[in-house]
Amino acid sequence: MTPNGIPQSSPEIVDLTHALIPGEVPACAGHPCYNASLSFGISKGDFANVHTLTLGTHTGTHIDAPYHFFMDGATVDRIDLSLLSAASAVVADLRTKAFHECIVWDDLQTAAEEIEARHVRVLLLCTGWSRNWNKPNYSKHPFLDPDAARRLFELGVRVIGLDTMSPDKVTDEEETADVHRIFLGSGGIIVENLTHLEALIDYGWKHITVSLLPLNLAGCDGSPIRAVAWEGTQ
Ligand SMILES: [Zn+2]
């Protein structure tokens, strides 16, 4: 295993999802804290094990649907699932980006060329910041320049996924939302709190396919997902 917990040999499926462990899931201020508790337990003499969950639409690895910021935007049950199901993806290697550093268009040149050549609609931004999951500095991640977000949409990108809690800059004083507004406002989808994106680069996979499917939560603005990737075109 590497320090990131990534197996050194390439597996068939890479899990890009943080495990949800009660008390170990960071949440934005005011969002519900994750919990899972046994309502029925075989060890207590019950017929089966059944958990009760407490979570929000932005708990752990999740997607933001346009309705997150726009009343007339698509809710999570109405988004185009072809964008999130067995979809080709490009990964941008941004591991040199530091605390609160901006990711600008120049940083995305290699990824942009591949997106354009292969008409890929999913871009994953690998900052390596998931190593700070549930640490005090998790919110101090690199962030995306709003103009770069606009250009990515114009290039054909419809899903931006990150290994941070937001594509926007988050400080103790304020949480900005320019990239959210530009990308969701254009009908795009944002995936947050991914992990193990490094593996997709380090394994040297030529063509990456991802599944990022949400729960079918009627009328909701986002949903936890189980994000996975594999090599190949389907
Ligand atoms: Zn979110």
Side-chain angles (χ1 to χ4, degrees), residues 58 62 64 68 192:
H58 300 260
H62 69 275
D64 291 358
H68 184 36
E192 296 165 338

Side-chain angles (χ1 to χ4, degrees), residues 144-157:
L144 184 60
D145 173 37
D147 184 57
R150 187 179 294 110
R151 293 178 71 168
L152 287 169
F153 193 89
E154 288 168 3
L155 195 65
V157 174

Side-chain angles (χ1 to χ4, degrees), residues 141-144 146 166-170 175-181:
H141 51 78
F143 61 96
L144 184 60
S166 173
D168 284 296
K169 188 174 185 178
V170 178
E175 187 179 342
T176 60
D178 292 346
V179 172
H180 274 91
R181 291 184 190 284

Side-chain angles (χ1 to χ4, degrees), residues 28 31 57-60 62-65 68-69 165-167 175 180 190-193 221-223:
C28 295
H31 287 227
T57 48
H58 300 260
T59 294
H62 69 275
I63 68 163
D64 291 358
H68 184 36
F69 274 88
M165 65 186 291
S166 173
E175 187 179 342
H180 274 91
I190 297 171
V191 185
E192 296 165 338
N193 292 333
D221 71 294
S223 169

